[in-house]
Amino acid sequence: MEQNIVDRPQPSDGRVKAADIALMAEEGASLSSGALRLYALPYGCVDLYNYDPLNRRCAVGIVVATAYRRQGCALAMLQALRAMYSSPQSLLHCLYADIAAANTASLALFRKAGYTECGRFAQWLCTADGWMDAVRMQQITEP
């Protein structure tokens, strides 16, 4: 069942709990975008894109609203994805993310979520300050 949960009331105490995220993900709360699936929550979103059906992998993008950072939201979203796509029936063997090498917070988050570094792309990202390397992190989803 596709539904937009952006309009769902936020927790009364203003703090997001990992169980809220997992429940919303289990309910299939997602939006159609040009991506495979976009899970939009009041405090951020997780985007699955670049789906490769032959090799059963897709990329992960994640954004958390500033007010909800450092509360475990991003980790809970990544853990919910892992739970949703960790069976052979899920059609995904691997989730991956390309992260700016200078984004130490994001790299630490993905490591904490069980992703491992599997590659580095030299001068991959164009920034206002010049070219920056990207680190590819991956997680094998099948048990």
Side-chain angles (χ1 to χ4, degrees):
M1 173 173 79
E2 299 275 328
Q3 62 175 322
N4 182 340
I5 62 170
V6 173
D7 299 326
R8 183 179 279 197
Q10 295 187 19
S12 60
D13 63 2
R15 294 194 54 87
V16 178
K17 297 172 182 65
D20 296 334
I21 295 168
L23 177 62
M24 290 176 189
E26 284 175 16
E27 291 174 352
S30 66
L31 302 171
S32 297
S33 67
L36 174 66
R37 184 154 285 211
L38 174 70
Y39 295 96
L41 306 170
Y43 26 82
C45 70
V46 176
D47 186 16
L48 299 181
Y49 62 98
N50 283 352
Y51 177 58
D52 178 348
L54 177 63
N55 295 300
R56 296 176 52 206
R57 65 178 169 239
C58 72
V60 176
I62 189 166
V63 176
V64 175
T66 305
Y68 292 98
R69 292 183 183 163
R70 300 220 171 261
Q71 295 181 32
C73 298
L75 181 60
M77 287 190 263
L78 291 176
Q79 290 170 335
L81 277 180
R82 170 71 185 214
M84 292 169 60
Y85 294 105
S86 64
S87 72
Q89 296 80 20
S90 75
L91 303 179
L92 284 178
H93 174 72
C94 174
L95 295 170
Y96 68 92
D98 294 331
I99 302 166
N103 190 344
T104 56
S106 186
L107 290 168
L109 164 70
F110 277 84
R111 283 188 186 101
K112 190 171 184 177
Y115 285 68
T116 57
E117 184 175 331
C118 66
R120 188 177 195 96
F121 301 101
Q123 297 185 21
W124 195 253
L125 305 169
C126 183
T127 72
D129 298 324
W131 292 96
M132 182 182 301
D133 291 359
V135 175
R136 175 153 295 174
M137 304 290 288
Q138 76 170 12
Q139 183 175 65
I140 305 303
T141 58
E142 292 178 318

